[in-house]
Amino acid sequence: MTPVRVSVPVVFDYLLSHLGFFAVLPVLPPLLGRLLPDAGPWFIGAALFAFNFAVRGASLFCATVLHQVPVRRAMISGLLMAAFGFALLPVAPGRLGIVGCLLLAGTGISTNGLMARVYVAMSLESAARRNTVFSAIQVAVNVSAALGPILANVMLGRDMYTPLLLVAAGMYVLAAVAVALLVPSGMRPRDGDVRPPLRLGLLRAVVADPHVRRVSLITAVGGFLYAQFFSAIALHVVHVTDSVGLRAGFFTANAVFVVLLQVPVSAYVARRMSTGTSSVRFLTVGVMIFGAAFAVMAVGGAAVIGVFAVVAVFSLAETFFTPTVNTAFSEIPGGRPVVELFNLRQVAATAGESIGAFCGGALFATAMQHDMQPVYWGAVAVFGVLAAVPYLRHPAQRTI
């Protein structure tokens, strides 16, 4: 198949599903408070942890089942699971019901994302052609990331949280229809197309192998800091301004900044890596810039212009950190299978982002109750810098 033929269904899938995803994610922390008025900070943190864990890591635990299911059916099932999870959220019975709906939605998102990538890998043999399709997917995700927060903040600002969740669910249903119409039937994963289930040996490698440990730790720290954007910062902007447009603007600006900065940053990183600079160095640079963003938040985050400055610095950090994670794991020595390397990546990212979302919900909300937001931002900034310093002082070589 041609890249265009393969890209059409997955671009529609990602454009529609991520429009629903980014209509919920930027407002999920305050939304949880609307759904359950007596929800305390610790419940919000736990709910964010559960959702992020499912979105990032659920496919690790159901790989055996996915290996036996046709690709199109698995993608549709994942999209409909996400739709049901969001649609049922307004009527979920209490804390357990809300967490259950978030787990259902997150598992569906994870399943669809994995099987969409499997579809691309099975349909195109050429790495260059696959990269063309994945680039098109990235554009679709950024378009959704720019538009979704506008819808989210406008509707939440009018207390239309139930219609918002139904609209998000509808986007996933439309994505499922697109997949049903456009993805060929009968395709099944081959051995190696789907990651094997999570094994104890995989976790042991993180601890025992210094190369794996190095990349996993810096990835987990970066994931922790990244997760603050849709947890602590999402809660923060609600208190900074009552303007629905400004609230949406913070998140839309992030998507726009990433699009504008990614090309020159990627060119710079590629040029430096071609001369021998380690990918871990750029992961570390990304973490340091994340830390700088939170230092700016600690100093000037009480003002709207300060938050926009934070978003700009945070977006720069993303352009260094996010694309380099896959490269860093693929360079780990020892002859490990590619599938296992990306399992390790998913373990590290899932751990970092899930814990980060919990802290951004529970600890930051607690800090807000005591007017200690700058203390929280300062602590996060210090954590990021201290975690990164050893990797800057003793950078890994390209042979790691």
Side-chain angles (χ1 to χ4, degrees), residues 73-111:
R73 186 187 304 171
M75 291 174 67
I76 293 172
S77 298
L79 290 164
L80 293 180
M81 286 171 63
F84 279 117
F86 287 133
L88 295 174
L89 201 52
V91 296
R95 288 170 168 78
L96 289 178
I98 288 174
V99 171
C101 287
L102 291 175
L103 286 172
L104 178 65
T107 301
I109 293 168
S110 182
T111 298

Side-chain angles (χ1 to χ4, degrees), residues 13-350:
D13 177 349
Y14 271 77
L15 183 66
L16 293 168
S17 65
H18 279 71
L19 186 57
F21 181 70
F22 285 109
V24 174
L25 188 62
V27 296
L28 185 54
L31 178 61
L32 290 169
R34 304 281 184 91
L35 293 172
L36 197 65
D38 62 342
W42 294 99
F43 170 74
I44 292 176
L48 293 175
F49 176 92
F51 183 62
N52 277 271
F53 186 88
V55 168
R56 301 302 176 193
S59 60
L60 276 171
F61 297 90
C62 54
T64 300
V65 174
L66 293 177
H67 200 281
Q68 302 169 4
V69 179
V71 171
R72 184 173 70 176
R73 186 187 304 171
M75 291 174 67
I76 293 172
S77 298
L79 290 164
L80 293 180
M81 286 171 63
F84 279 117
F86 287 133
L88 295 174
L89 201 52
V91 296
R95 288 170 168 78
L96 289 178
I98 288 174
V99 171
C101 287
L102 291 175
L103 286 172
L104 178 65
T107 301
I109 293 168
S110 182
T111 298
N112 173 65
L114 172 64
M115 299 309 288
R117 292 191 295 272
V118 168
Y119 167 65
V120 174
M122 291 182 64
S123 302
L124 299 170
E125 296 293 334
S126 165
R129 289 188 169 193
R130 291 178 184 175
N131 188 66
T132 298
V133 176
F134 287 130
S135 297
I137 291 172
Q138 187 68 13
V139 172
V141 169
N142 278 284
V143 170
S144 298
L147 298 177
I150 299 173
L151 176 66
N153 282 278
V154 168
M155 297 187 75
L156 192 67
R158 298 176 181 178
D159 285 328
M160 299 173 64
Y161 54 87
T162 297
L164 172 62
L165 288 167
L166 292 177
V167 167
M171 292 297 102
Y172 279 92
V173 172
L174 289 176
V177 171
V179 168
L181 294 175
L182 298 171
V183 173
S185 62
M187 295 180 67
R188 289 179 179 272
R190 302 181 298 262
D191 291 339
D193 287 326
V194 175
R195 295 165 179 165
L198 191 60
R199 295 177 289 104
L200 183 60
L202 195 66
L203 301 179
R204 190 182 299 117
V206 174
V207 177
D209 188 318
H211 304 295
V212 174
R213 186 170 63 245
R214 178 189 298 118
V215 180
S216 297
L217 285 175
I218 199 67
T219 297
V221 171
F224 177 93
L225 298 174
Y226 173 79
Q228 304 303 310
F229 194 71
F230 293 109
S231 53
I233 292 179
L235 287 170
H236 181 77
V237 299
V238 174
H239 293 269
V240 169
T241 177
D242 293 326
S243 169
V244 170
L246 284 175
R247 291 178 183 177
F250 294 131
F251 297 99
T252 299
N254 171 243
V256 173
F257 280 138
V258 169
V259 170
L260 293 175
L261 294 170
Q262 189 65 73
V263 172
V265 169
S266 294
Y268 169 74
V269 169
R271 187 166 61 251
R272 290 292 303 275
M273 289 184 67
S274 68
T275 62
T277 304
S278 167
S279 55
V280 176
R281 165 73 76 170
F282 293 108
L283 285 183
T284 308
V285 168
V287 169
M288 292 288 288
I289 301 174
F290 276 136
F294 293 114
V296 173
M297 182 71 95
V299 174
V304 169
I305 189 65
V307 179
F308 273 113
V310 170
V311 171
V313 179
F314 190 95
S315 301
L316 178 63
E318 281 189 69
T319 61
F320 275 96
F321 180 83
T322 305
T324 315
V325 171
N326 287 333
T327 304
F329 275 94
S330 67
E331 289 183 345
I332 292 174
R336 296 178 182 275
V338 173
V339 170
E340 182 173 293
L341 290 174
F342 284 99
N343 265 338
L344 291 167
R345 175 206 176 280
Q346 194 166 353
V347 169
T350 300

